[in-house]
């Protein structure tokens, strides 16, 4: 075999049998769905994630921190790195997500899916929301209604004490 044919054959093998690119791996939003959560729990703009499927430990990364309002009364803030543990219908030990309740910023530490509702816990209090509020991912700055700059309506049950 001539050296040129060997080089071409080698290049063909490299191109044809190359490993899957990162583009072929599921997105962070698809991973959420794999665990029975809607993709809208994460804001638009997740640039990468890591997941240890054996433990459920995950991190999702945004380019920058992110904040927006929903229904005017709920302000949410995401740090550039969101972390925790994920399993079917349950997110625990969450870090990097907080909600403003009255005048206080409280960390959302757990999310449980219970049928068609999601229960968000800040430790001493929790609130339930219909799951269909989270089928669309909010956008940093304007939440779910970025076209005309108005705040979207979120159906909710108020935060109640778990004590």
């Amino acid at each position: 075999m001539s050296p040129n044919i060997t080089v071409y054959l080698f290049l063909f093998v490299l191109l044809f049998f190359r490993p899957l690119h990162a583009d072929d791996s599921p997105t962070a939003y698809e991973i959420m769905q794999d665990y029975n959560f809607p993709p809208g729990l994460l804001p638009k703009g997740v640039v990468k994630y890591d997941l240890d499927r054996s433990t459920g430990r995950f991190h999702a990364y945004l380019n920058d921190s992110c904040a927006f309002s929903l229904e005017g009364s709920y302000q949410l803030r995401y740090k550039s790195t969101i972390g925790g543990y994920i399993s079917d219908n349950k997110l625990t030990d969450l870090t990097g997500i907080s909600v403003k309740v009255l005048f206080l910023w409280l960390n959302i530490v757990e999310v449980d899916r219970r049928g068609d509702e999601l229960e968000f816990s800040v430790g001493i209090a929790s609130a339930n929301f219909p799951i269909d509020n989270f089928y669309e991912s909010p956008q940093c700055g304007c939440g779910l209604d970025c076209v005309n700059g108005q705040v979207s309506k979120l159906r909710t049950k108020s935060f109640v004490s778990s004590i």
Side-chain angles (χ1 to χ4, degrees):
M1 211 183 276
S2 75
N4 287 340
I5 292 176
T6 305
V7 169
Y8 290 125
L9 182 60
F10 177 73
L11 290 174
F12 173 78
V13 169
L14 279 179
L15 290 173
F16 189 76
F17 294 104
R18 70 184 185 272
L20 294 176
H21 292 313
D23 295 339
D24 296 334
S25 63
T27 67
Y29 307 98
E30 292 167 333
I31 293 294
M32 296 297 290
Q33 292 175 315
D34 287 348
Y35 288 93
N36 209 23
F37 284 104
L41 287 179
L42 294 173
K44 290 180 183 175
V46 173
V47 292
K48 68 178 183 172
Y49 71 91
D50 54 64
L51 171 65
D52 180 341
R53 287 194 185 265
S54 66
T55 64
R57 182 76 176 143
F58 76 92
H59 293 94
Y61 304 94
L62 301 165
N63 279 329
D64 202 357
S65 60
C66 174
F68 53 88
S69 293
L70 293 174
E71 198 183 278
S73 61
Y74 288 101
Q75 293 179 16
L76 294 169
R77 202 166 44 190
Y78 291 78
K79 291 184 178 179
S80 59
T81 301
I82 303 158
Y85 289 88
I86 190 168
S87 60
D88 284 338
N89 302 311
K90 195 171 204 66
L91 293 163
T92 58
D93 294 332
L94 291 172
T95 60
I97 308 169
S98 55
V99 61
K100 190 173 186 180
V101 179
L102 300 173
F103 301 106
L104 300 173
W105 282 98
L106 302 172
N107 294 323
I108 296 174
V109 295
E110 191 169 300
V111 180
D112 287 317
R113 178 169 181 177
R114 297 177 183 195
D116 289 336
E117 287 196 339
L118 295 174
E119 181 181 80
F120 292 79
S121 173
V122 293
I124 59 169
S126 63
N128 294 333
F129 297 87
I131 196 167
D132 59 0
N133 283 335
F134 300 93
Y135 289 141
E136 182 183 346
S137 290
Q139 185 171 324
C140 297
C142 54
L144 295 172
D145 197 1
C146 296
V147 175
N148 56 21
Q150 295 179 5
V151 177
S152 69
K153 296 295 179 195
L154 184 69
R155 293 180 295 139
T156 180
K157 295 176 185 171
S158 297
F159 272 89
V160 293
S161 176
S162 60
I163 296 175

